[in-house]
Amino acid sequence: MLIFLYLLKSTTCVNQINKLKILNDPIYGFITIPNTLIYDLIQHPYFQRLRRISQMGMSYLVYPGAHHTRFHHALGCLHIMQKAVQTLRFKEVVISEEEENALYIAILLHDIGHGPFSHAMEHSIVEDVHHEEISLLFMNELNREFDGKLSLAIQIFKGEYHRKFMLQLISSQLDMDRMDYLKRDSFYTGVAEGNINSERLIQMMHVVDDVLVIEEKGIYSVEQFLVARRLMYWQAYLHKTSLVAELTLTKILKRAKELTQKGELLPCSEPLQFFMQHKITLESFDATILKKFALLDDFDIVSAIKSWQFHEDFVLSSLSKMIINRDLPKIKMVPEKVDKLQITELRTRLMEIHPLTEKETDYFIFKGKIKNQAYNKTGEPIHIYKKDKTIEDVVEASDQLNLKALSKPVTKYYLCFPKVLLES
């Protein structure tokens, strides 16, 4: 009997040790999984799905290396959160073991609600439901499965925990999320301007009166972080080709939904078919629908588009071919709002070339605007902890005039239309 218990105990220890994995990451080197609960969450199908969700949507059509996933990003965030906790404890900020684990869980799962191609299709699969809200639904479901072990993480994620700095580590203008995606996206796209010194930023972190601050000697790293964020938005996230590709992708799904609502059965996976047939709101997003959503990833969309490019519907097939063959619409960036007369003229010319209704031309000719604001002065500020123990907004504390400019939103307008109109 004693031998049996000893063997049972030994087996349990081995199982636990096997869960304390070390992963090799091209950005940070070795990433360690801190405990068995984190390991079990990573192994869960809901989290493993993030391996099949691209981090940067359609940006790979511009930057061929940008094929990294939300799975990469979540693990990177976990790693730098471990570094942040270690730094703050070294500076005698009290963080209990329970709080530490909750921070790891919250940052690990902060993006679990993303749908296919991340932001590209956020309001296409499920209308008017943000990925943060779906992330919370996933976290609540996982909390039930893991017997309430995620409760504190959810409380922090929702901003309901009394220690304010913990939410700031997860969601703020200088959080672990932004630190990882800037560095990671810079690496995979090759846009060197986005590379930030995340280690330096973390080493400069402190907590004063339960508020996350950056020590004054780290102000130049904060400035560089904000400049990098602005440049990454213009050069990568809001790159005009990425933008028109993502817009075309949403138009494809819109057309597919329109045809489905008319009773046409399009070839695609069962989960995608379900979301095309039903309009899902946050109120109707129950556990059954969540399980269906968890079955959706980039592969469903790509597989469907590959089939739809041969569909008899001219709009659906034409748009699908644009993505599959990277023969995207022309996009023009303009400093002012696009004139309606220009849109009308383009529509008329397109209807002369192809047998389209005026409503159908909306799928090919459209306008919009993009906004880039590296730092939002009206939001939660980045606090600089000065040597005289006062706290100041980074814009006021900085001697760089360009930070004031970075806090002003810059708006650009765009017009998209088929390339065939350039030839006619």
Side-chain angles (χ1 to χ4, degrees), residues 269-301:
S269 68
E270 188 277 327
L272 183 56
Q273 188 74 249
F274 174 84
F275 284 98
M276 288 200 300
Q277 289 174 339
H278 301 88
K279 184 173 182 179
I280 306 299
T281 63
L282 185 60
E283 289 72 28
S284 62
F285 216 122
D286 59 18
T288 303
I289 291 173
L290 188 68
K291 284 180 181 177
K292 287 187 181 292
F293 184 85
L295 296 172
L296 279 176
D297 54 51
D298 293 7
F299 296 159
D300 295 82
I301 305 301

Side-chain angles (χ1 to χ4, degrees), residues 247-248 251 254-255 258 313-316 318-319 322 329-330 340 342-367 415-418 420-421:
L247 291 167
T248 303
K251 296 283 183 183
K254 182 181 177 185
R255 182 61 172 181
E258 185 182 332
D313 180 71
F314 176 81
V315 176
L316 184 63
S318 298
L319 292 172
M322 288 177 182
K330 177 69 177 176
K340 287 183 180 179
Q342 189 178 2
I343 296 283
T344 303
E345 182 190 336
L346 289 169
R347 283 178 178 166
T348 303
R349 286 170 56 197
L350 186 61
M351 286 189 287
E352 290 172 356
I353 299 169
H354 296 295
L356 295 168
T357 65
E358 187 174 347
K359 185 182 177 184
E360 287 172 340
T361 61
D362 288 344
Y363 284 103
F364 299 98
I365 300 165
F366 45 92
K367 61 179 181 174
L415 171 64
C416 301
F417 54 90
V420 68
L421 295 179

Side-chain angles (χ1 to χ4, degrees), residues 27-28 76 79-80 83-84 87 174-176 178-184 194-205 214 221 224-225:
I27 310 300
Y28 307 114
H79 174 74
I80 58 175
K83 296 292 183 185
T87 297
L174 190 62
D175 56 25
M176 304 301 106
R178 293 186 184 191
M179 279 193 209
D180 181 79
Y181 77 62
L182 282 176
K183 198 171 182 68
R184 189 169 299 278
N195 191 15
I196 60 164
N197 192 345
S198 56
E199 286 188 18
R200 170 75 174 168
L201 284 166
I202 289 170
Q203 288 299 320
M204 292 299 104
M205 283 183 171
I214 300 293
S221 297
Q224 193 256 336
F225 166 84

Side-chain angles (χ1 to χ4, degrees), residues 249 252 300-309 320 323-324:
L249 191 61
I252 291 170
D300 295 82
I301 305 301
V302 173
S303 178
I305 293 173
K306 283 175 71 179
S307 295
W308 295 344
Q309 67 178 318
S320 297
I323 292 293
I324 295 297

